Protein backbone atom coordinates (compact mmCIF):
# COMPACT_ATOMS: atom_id res chain seq x y z
CA UNK A 1 0.00 0.00 0.00
CA UNK A 2 1.05 3.56 -0.65
CA UNK A 3 0.34 7.03 0.66
CA UNK A 4 0.05 10.18 -1.46
CA UNK A 5 1.45 13.37 0.10
CA UNK A 6 1.31 16.96 -1.12
CA UNK A 7 4.41 19.04 -0.40
CA UNK A 8 4.63 22.81 -0.15
CA UNK A 9 8.24 23.99 -0.64
CA UNK A 10 8.81 27.46 0.85
CA UNK A 11 5.22 28.38 0.06
CA UNK A 12 5.22 26.95 -3.47
CA UNK A 13 2.90 23.96 -3.96
CA UNK A 14 4.61 20.95 -5.48
CA UNK A 15 3.32 17.84 -7.18
CA UNK A 16 1.97 15.02 -5.03
CA UNK A 17 4.47 12.35 -4.02
CA UNK A 18 3.56 8.70 -3.60
CA UNK A 19 5.45 6.63 -1.02
CA UNK A 20 5.03 3.28 0.75
CA UNK A 21 2.87 3.40 3.91
CA UNK A 22 5.90 2.64 6.09
CA UNK A 23 8.00 5.52 4.66
CA UNK A 24 10.03 7.75 6.97
CA UNK A 25 10.46 11.51 6.87
CA UNK A 26 13.89 10.96 5.30
CA UNK A 27 12.29 8.87 2.54
CA UNK A 28 10.01 11.82 1.78
CA UNK A 29 12.97 14.23 1.80
CA UNK A 30 14.77 12.00 -0.71
CA UNK A 31 11.67 11.96 -2.94
CA UNK A 32 11.51 15.77 -2.76
CA UNK A 33 15.22 15.93 -3.66
CA UNK A 34 14.48 13.77 -6.71
CA UNK A 35 11.60 16.07 -7.70
CA UNK A 36 13.36 19.41 -7.07
CA UNK A 37 17.08 19.25 -7.84
CA UNK A 38 17.81 22.29 -5.68
CA UNK A 39 16.47 20.67 -2.47
CA UNK A 40 19.24 18.55 -0.92
CA UNK A 41 17.98 16.36 1.93
CA UNK A 42 20.21 18.08 4.52
CA UNK A 43 18.73 21.49 3.62
CA UNK A 44 15.10 20.46 4.12
CA UNK A 45 13.11 21.06 7.27
CA UNK A 46 9.69 19.44 7.18
CA UNK A 47 6.71 20.42 9.30
CA UNK A 48 3.28 18.87 9.67
CA UNK A 49 0.51 20.27 11.89
CA UNK A 50 2.94 22.84 13.31
CA UNK A 51 5.61 20.30 14.36
CA UNK A 52 9.05 19.86 12.84
CA UNK A 53 9.50 16.24 11.74
CA UNK A 54 12.60 14.17 12.50
CA UNK A 55 14.24 12.14 9.71
CA UNK A 56 13.90 8.71 11.36
CA UNK A 57 10.20 9.09 12.22
CA UNK A 58 7.71 7.13 10.15
CA UNK A 59 5.13 9.33 8.45
CA UNK A 60 2.33 7.16 9.86
CA UNK A 61 3.61 7.87 13.40
CA UNK A 62 3.15 11.60 12.70
CA UNK A 63 -0.46 10.86 11.64
CA UNK A 64 0.26 11.75 8.03
CA UNK A 65 -2.60 10.28 6.00
CA UNK A 66 -3.42 10.15 2.31
CA UNK A 67 -3.47 13.66 0.72
CA UNK A 68 -1.89 15.30 3.77
CA UNK A 69 0.09 18.46 3.08
CA UNK A 70 3.61 18.79 4.47
CA UNK A 71 5.47 22.10 4.51
CA UNK A 72 9.14 22.16 3.61
CA UNK A 73 11.43 25.03 4.44
CA UNK A 74 14.81 25.27 2.74
CA UNK A 75 17.57 25.83 5.28
CA UNK A 76 20.78 27.72 4.67
CA UNK A 77 23.85 28.57 6.73
CA UNK A 78 24.48 32.01 8.18
CA UNK A 79 28.04 32.71 9.32
CA UNK A 80 28.17 34.66 12.57
CA UNK A 81 31.54 36.17 13.35
CA UNK A 82 32.58 36.71 16.93
CA UNK A 83 35.80 37.66 18.59
CA UNK A 84 38.38 35.17 17.25
CA UNK A 85 35.66 32.65 16.30
CA UNK A 86 33.05 32.00 13.64
CA UNK A 87 29.78 30.24 14.25
CA UNK A 88 27.58 28.58 11.65
CA UNK A 89 23.84 28.68 12.24
CA UNK A 90 21.12 27.02 10.12
CA UNK A 91 18.07 29.14 9.32
CA UNK A 92 15.40 29.71 6.67
CA UNK A 93 14.24 32.89 4.99
CA UNK A 94 11.34 33.37 7.42
CA UNK A 95 13.57 33.08 10.50
CA UNK A 96 14.02 36.16 12.66
CA UNK A 97 17.30 37.73 13.75
CA UNK A 98 16.37 36.68 17.28
CA UNK A 99 16.22 33.06 16.06
CA UNK A 100 19.91 33.31 15.08
CA UNK A 101 20.77 34.39 18.60
CA UNK A 102 18.68 31.57 20.06
CA UNK A 103 20.60 29.07 17.90
CA UNK A 104 23.89 30.55 19.16
CA UNK A 105 22.69 29.88 22.68
CA UNK A 106 21.42 26.35 21.95
CA UNK A 107 24.23 25.17 19.68
CA UNK A 108 27.23 26.95 21.19
CA UNK A 109 26.19 27.81 24.77
CA UNK A 110 26.57 31.57 24.32
CA UNK A 111 24.83 33.92 26.74
CA UNK A 112 22.62 36.00 24.45
CA UNK A 113 21.09 38.23 27.14
CA UNK A 114 22.89 41.42 26.04
CA UNK A 115 24.04 40.28 22.61
CA UNK A 116 23.47 42.47 19.56
CA UNK A 117 24.07 41.35 16.01
CA UNK A 118 25.13 43.67 13.22
CA UNK A 119 25.84 43.63 9.50
CA UNK A 120 28.48 46.35 9.65
CA UNK A 121 29.63 49.23 11.83
CA UNK A 122 26.66 50.88 13.52
CA UNK A 123 24.11 48.81 11.58
CA UNK A 124 22.54 46.78 14.36
CA UNK A 125 19.93 44.17 13.54
CA UNK A 126 16.66 44.14 15.45
CA UNK A 127 15.71 40.75 16.90
CA UNK A 128 12.13 41.07 15.65
CA UNK A 129 13.02 41.44 11.95
CA UNK A 130 13.01 38.68 9.37
CA UNK A 131 16.27 37.52 7.79
CA UNK A 132 15.03 38.18 4.26
CA UNK A 133 14.12 41.76 5.21
CA UNK A 134 17.76 42.28 6.26
CA UNK A 135 19.02 40.61 3.06
CA UNK A 136 20.49 37.75 5.06
CA UNK A 137 20.80 34.59 2.99
CA UNK A 138 23.18 31.68 2.50
CA UNK A 139 26.76 32.64 3.35
CA UNK A 140 25.90 36.10 4.68
CA UNK A 141 28.28 37.21 7.43
CA UNK A 142 26.69 38.67 10.53
CA UNK A 143 28.82 40.01 13.36
CA UNK A 144 28.41 39.91 17.11
CA UNK A 145 28.76 43.52 18.30
CA UNK A 146 32.10 44.24 20.00
CA UNK A 147 30.49 45.62 23.16
CA UNK A 148 29.17 42.11 23.88
CA UNK A 149 32.74 40.86 24.29
CA UNK A 150 33.81 43.90 26.31
CA UNK A 151 30.91 43.32 28.76
CA UNK A 152 31.57 39.57 29.09
CA UNK A 153 35.33 39.97 29.79
Amino acid sequence: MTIRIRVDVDGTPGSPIELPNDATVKDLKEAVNDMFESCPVENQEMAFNGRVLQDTTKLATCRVINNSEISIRILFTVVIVGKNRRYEVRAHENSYVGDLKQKLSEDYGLDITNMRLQMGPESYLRDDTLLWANRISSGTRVHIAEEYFAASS
Side-chain angles (χ1 to χ4, degrees), residues 84-146:
N84 303 319
R85 173 121 194 241
R86 21 177 297 156
Y87 305 92
E88 292 187 354
V89 175
R90 303 283 284 163
H92 55 85
E93 69 176 13
N94 290 318
S95 295
Y96 288 87
V97 171
D99 296 333
L100 296 180
K101 289 171 47 176
Q102 188 62 41
K103 292 292 282 178
L104 284 172
S105 175
E106 292 169 2
D107 296 352
Y108 297 98
L110 295 182
D111 178 6
I112 59 170
T113 308
N114 297 310
M115 181 185 289
R116 292 171 67 184
L117 298 178
Q118 61 189 87
M119 294 290 285
E122 304 302 317
S123 63
Y124 296 105
L125 301 171
R126 289 184 27 194
D127 290 349
D128 63 348
T129 58
L130 291 164
L131 298 186
W132 68 263
N134 290 291
R135 297 188 175 139
I136 297 172
S137 60
S138 183
T140 301
R141 289 188 187 281
V142 175
H143 299 268
I144 299 172
E146 283 297 318

Side-chain angles (χ1 to χ4, degrees), residues 3-144:
I3 186 170
R4 190 178 182 98
I5 301 162
R6 291 179 297 135
V7 294
D8 177 7
V9 181
D10 274 342
T12 303
S15 300
I17 296 175
E18 200 160 315
L19 293 169
N21 276 349
D22 64 345
T24 63
V25 172
K26 186 168 185 183
D27 295 331
L28 178 56
K29 286 182 176 183
E30 289 169 349
V32 168
N33 183 46
D34 291 343
M35 184 183 291
F36 301 99
E37 294 175 10
S38 62
C39 279
V41 170
E42 63 275 7
N43 290 349
Q44 296 178 41
E45 179 181 79
M46 294 192 167
F48 179 68
N49 285 340
R51 290 188 21 205
V52 174
L53 305 177
Q54 302 304 312
D55 284 354
T56 56
T57 306
K58 291 193 180 291
L59 294 171
T61 304
C62 305
R63 298 193 173 127
V64 174
I65 59 172
N66 210 34
N67 293 318
S68 290
E69 186 173 308
I70 293 183
S71 297
I72 302 171
R73 294 186 288 207
I74 305 303
L75 300 175
F76 56 86
T77 301
V78 177
V79 176
I80 301 177
V81 180
K83 187 176 187 180
N84 303 319
R85 173 121 194 241
R86 21 177 297 156
Y87 305 92
E88 292 187 354
V89 175
R90 303 283 284 163
H92 55 85
E93 69 176 13
N94 290 318
S95 295
Y96 288 87
V97 171
D99 296 333
L100 296 180
K101 289 171 47 176
Q102 188 62 41
K103 292 292 282 178
L104 284 172
S105 175
E106 292 169 2
D107 296 352
Y108 297 98
L110 295 182
D111 178 6
I112 59 170
T113 308
N114 297 310
M115 181 185 289
R116 292 171 67 184
L117 298 178
Q118 61 189 87
M119 294 290 285
E122 304 302 317
S123 63
Y124 296 105
L125 301 171
R126 289 184 27 194
D127 290 349
D128 63 348
T129 58
L130 291 164
L131 298 186
W132 68 263
N134 290 291
R135 297 188 175 139
I136 297 172
S137 60
S138 183
T140 301
R141 289 188 187 281
V142 175
H143 299 268
I144 299 172

